[in-house]
Amino acid sequence: MTDDTIEDEPPPANTAADDGEKKNNHRKNGKRRLSKRERKNLKKQKTSAAAAAANTTAANKTTTTTSPSATEQHSPQASHASKPSTVKAQPTLEEYHANYIPAPSVKISKENADSKSLGKWFPKASVIKSKVSYGNDYLAKLAKEKKKQQQQKNESNDNSSANTIKEPKASLVLFYQYVNPTWSNAKVSSFLAYLTNIAQTHRTNIGGRIRVSSEGINATVSAASTDDSDVDAEFEAAQTLRHFTKDLQNFDADAFKDTDFKYVDGLTADRHFKELKLLPVKELVFYGIREGDCATTNATAAASPAVGESDNGNKEVKGGVHLEASDYHEMLKRNDAVVIDVRNHYEAAIGRFDGQMAKEKSEEQEGEGGATYIDPKMRKSTDFTSWLAEEETKQKLEGKTVMMFCTGGIRCERASAYLNSQIGNKVKGVFQLKGGIERYLKEFPDGGFWRGKNFVFDKREAISAGNVNGDGGVIRSGKKEGKKEEEEKMLEWGAECAKCKKPWDRYIGKRKCYTCGVPVLVCNDCMSQSSSSTKKKKKGAAAAASTTSAAAVEDLKSIRCPLCVSEGVTVPAEDVEWTDNGVRGRPRTSSFSEGGGEGNDKKAPADGAPKKSESKAAKSVLKWGGGHAKKKKDQRSWSRRPCQFGAECVRKDCFFYHPERESKSKKET
């Protein structure tokens, strides 16, 4: 989720290498067979297109020139129905809220029947499948049909947009909200039941991830247009999310009255989440910080004392002053300021706020100017407290105007409050970017002082100036214009493949660091050496070539992130038993120590790592999803293996393959 994000889930990434690893029984000639529903929808589109072609051009012209009916003039939803228009005006909030039907309230149930375990971190999650989902094959087929229709219109000199094949669209809303006072357990349960009911019965075309705790909510929610609606696809998806946020305000008007909802509209349909995950958690963002050092109030105007007393006499720690994007941009020009990147290092590797330093230097030629960029080089949020405790860090910040930023703003809330509680009296002030990088790039479409890409935790993967739809999806082959300039920019801030050192800034294939588990940048060429590609090559390749390819795959598995390389970390993450959410570690054997020490006889990583005699474990590791991803992978593997008990197996939930059950279920359907 932006960093309205879920840090413990892997970034979504679909790549050519990933697709090669997935086996699909419906693939023929390298293409997936469309599902029954997708074929039905496509047939419907073709039928409507054929009917439109049968109409005369004169009839089409009449449609475009006829003035709107009285119903269309007075109905906001009708005004956004699929009809010809040259310039699409941005709808108002009143238009979006037209025809709004409030979500019904629900009774609190003691136990959610739909709850399921998503690993040890989310033992009571709820997963609701979205009723709307568009596969890549279906969208590709639709694009071909649309292109074909456009060619036919060009040949017949038909410039009207009537009866054009409807292209599905998606929208996103990113937000978080800390509540004060905190919610009771009963209210949290009521809220989760309310959200479940909305997704199941009221707004069935939404998906995403929502974290809920007594502190509040942290969410990334998507909506997609439906096939059977006459409303413009982009408007329909955007309206669904405005109605959803209105539902939240109906549940607790005081809590959500000032929530900063960041809407992203007009996205391609593949940016929609296929399911909605409701995740009950203890903390919205885990920092390992005491409750007394957390933000309970947020300053929005002039800076106020970092630590004070509330009305009831308790210690009250204030977060940073929230600055609008334009004000933050101006403050970045100050020489007495430092700007702290509160995100993880792997996010900072592909984009950051350091354009002000390069710009000032080129203009004045008197050394670096503007706010000094600082990357704490964190693997996860819990590293922030140890970084701030270092003397070197305190010296860098003392007497400075401290600016902070993150993807969407939520990580700055806790980080700014903690910094205020520790060294608030030694700095000139603490400020944070309201709405995060998402809001800044919307305010400055040319990028402003931002350089590179903003890593996000949704289907877009990473966004940049002028690329709101993001990079997510299968990597397309072919030459791109301006590729050389892009690569030169990547080299400036060190975005490169961890294996071949070629300029690269996409996290694909879910490759993780061998020694700490964070995502690693691996280019498409190196990804082609994956195990699935190797198996294909082995069919007709020589034994020597197979051996070389297998060795290359092994090298790819033991690749390390730049942070581990610079710190000399060599001990595999799997050789360390981590506690306290991966912050503290203890060896499974006595062959190494966390800060370095005696090694063992295992082979060192292939990227020039030191020998094991100099072995050192990472200070922290990143564990994705609490283990449920591995469990799902094992289940997929087991489902291809016949059960040894066959028809005598009495377990209805047996993971292994039962051909007799499959044939029985087919007969019933």
Side-chain angles (χ1 to χ4, degrees), residues 421-455:
S421 71
Q422 300 301 306
I423 57 172
N425 58 343
K426 295 181 181 179
V427 298
K428 291 182 179 179
V430 180
F431 302 86
Q432 65 189 74
L433 176 57
K434 183 180 178 181
I437 307 163
E438 282 275 353
R439 183 73 69 199
Y440 183 88
L441 289 178
K442 198 168 185 178
E443 181 75 18
F444 295 92
D446 63 344
F449 290 138
W450 175 263
R451 294 200 306 165
K453 296 179 179 179
N454 176 28
F455 182 92

Side-chain angles (χ1 to χ4, degrees), residues 136-419:
N136 288 332
D137 289 344
Y138 172 71
L139 293 174
K141 200 90 172 176
L142 200 63
K144 279 186 179 180
E145 291 295 326
K146 193 174 181 181
K147 187 178 179 181
K148 186 178 178 181
Q149 187 191 59
Q150 188 60 44
Q151 288 175 349
Q152 291 174 350
K153 285 191 173 186
N154 291 339
E155 290 172 1
S156 61
N157 295 323
D158 182 7
N159 297 322
S160 75
S161 57
N163 300 311
T164 304
I165 293 176
K166 183 178 176 181
E167 183 183 357
K169 290 290 183 181
S171 287
L172 281 171
V173 61
L174 319 167
F175 66 97
Y176 67 91
Q177 182 63 57
Y178 282 100
V179 295
N180 190 15
T182 57
W183 286 343
S184 64
N185 290 335
K187 188 160 187 176
V188 169
S189 298
S190 176
F191 187 49
L192 287 168
Y194 181 67
L195 292 174
T196 301
N197 185 54
I198 289 174
Q200 287 179 337
T201 64
H202 207 58
R203 315 207 189 280
T204 57
N205 60 329
I206 64 172
R209 291 191 296 260
I210 302 178
R211 282 184 155 196
V212 181
S213 78
S214 58
E215 297 177 324
I217 178 175
N218 178 21
T220 294
V221 181
S222 68
S225 59
T226 56
D227 294 323
D228 54 356
S229 174
D230 294 330
V231 181
D232 176 73
E234 184 176 331
F235 180 82
E236 183 190 4
Q239 186 183 52
T240 299
L241 292 183
R242 269 70 173 186
H243 287 185
F244 173 74
T245 54
K246 182 75 173 171
D247 292 336
L248 300 183
Q249 292 169 338
N250 289 344
F251 178 82
D252 192 331
D254 292 334
F256 294 104
K257 65 179 179 181
D258 296 322
T259 304
D260 182 18
F261 295 112
K262 296 177 282 293
Y263 297 101
V264 187
D265 300 320
L267 302 175
T268 54
D270 60 346
R271 298 310 188 236
H272 174 57
F273 287 89
K274 295 179 180 179
E275 56 192 14
L276 179 68
K277 293 181 180 178
L278 302 178
L279 309 170
V281 293
K282 291 182 179 179
E283 291 183 72
L284 296 183
V285 178
F286 183 71
Y287 268 99
I289 302 173
R290 293 177 306 166
E291 190 68 28
D293 294 332
C294 300
T296 56
T297 60
N298 297 313
T300 54
S304 52
V307 182
E309 285 192 1
S310 60
D311 295 336
N312 57 13
N314 294 329
K315 180 182 176 183
E316 187 177 78
V317 184
K318 297 185 183 297
V321 178
H322 289 208
L323 293 181
E324 297 291 343
S326 55
D327 297 328
Y328 195 87
H329 181 82
E330 289 302 313
M331 188 174 281
L332 282 169
K333 300 176 183 178
R334 292 174 54 169
N335 293 332
D336 66 335
V338 294
V339 54
I340 302 174
D341 195 336
V342 190
R343 303 172 304 153
N344 300 313
H345 180 64
Y346 66 86
E347 299 171 69
I350 62 173
R352 64 197 70 161
F353 269 121
D354 61 358
Q356 70 281 358
M357 298 165 65
K359 192 169 184 178
E360 292 289 333
K361 185 175 180 180
S362 62
E363 288 177 355
E364 299 179 6
Q365 297 297 324
E366 295 181 359
E368 294 185 351
T372 302
Y373 172 78
I374 298 177
D375 177 13
K377 296 185 177 179
M378 301 183 293
R379 291 179 174 87
K380 57 197 306 181
S381 297
T382 47
D383 294 343
F384 183 77
T385 54
S386 58
W387 172 79
L388 191 61
E390 295 174 4
E391 284 302 319
E392 183 183 355
T393 302
K394 293 177 180 178
Q395 290 174 10
K396 285 181 182 178
L397 303 184
E398 190 171 355
K400 298 286 186 179
T401 298
V402 177
M403 304 173 67
M404 308 178 95
F405 74 92
C406 57
T407 311
I410 190 169
R411 283 181 275 189
C412 288
E413 299 290 354
R414 282 291 179 90
S416 62
Y418 184 72
L419 191 146

Side-chain angles (χ1 to χ4, degrees), residues 57-73 78-79 82-85 160 162:
T57 307
N60 287 333
K61 286 182 178 179
T62 304
T63 305
T64 57
T65 55
T66 302
S67 60
S69 63
T71 307
E72 289 173 331
Q73 289 176 347
S79 67
S82 299
K83 63 178 185 179
S85 62
S160 75

Side-chain angles (χ1 to χ4, degrees), residues 505-554:
D505 61 358
R506 284 194 63 181
Y507 288 100
I508 61 174
K510 301 179 183 178
R511 289 294 174 186
K512 291 182 276 187
C513 176
Y514 174 66
T515 48
C516 72
V518 303
V520 179
L521 289 169
V522 181
C523 71
N524 197 36
D525 293 336
C526 293
M527 277 297 300
S528 64
Q529 300 171 358
S530 65
S531 57
S532 60
S533 299
T534 305
K535 289 175 183 176
K536 291 177 183 177
K537 290 175 183 177
K538 280 184 179 181
K539 290 181 179 180
S546 297
T547 306
T548 305
S549 183
V553 173
E554 187 62 33

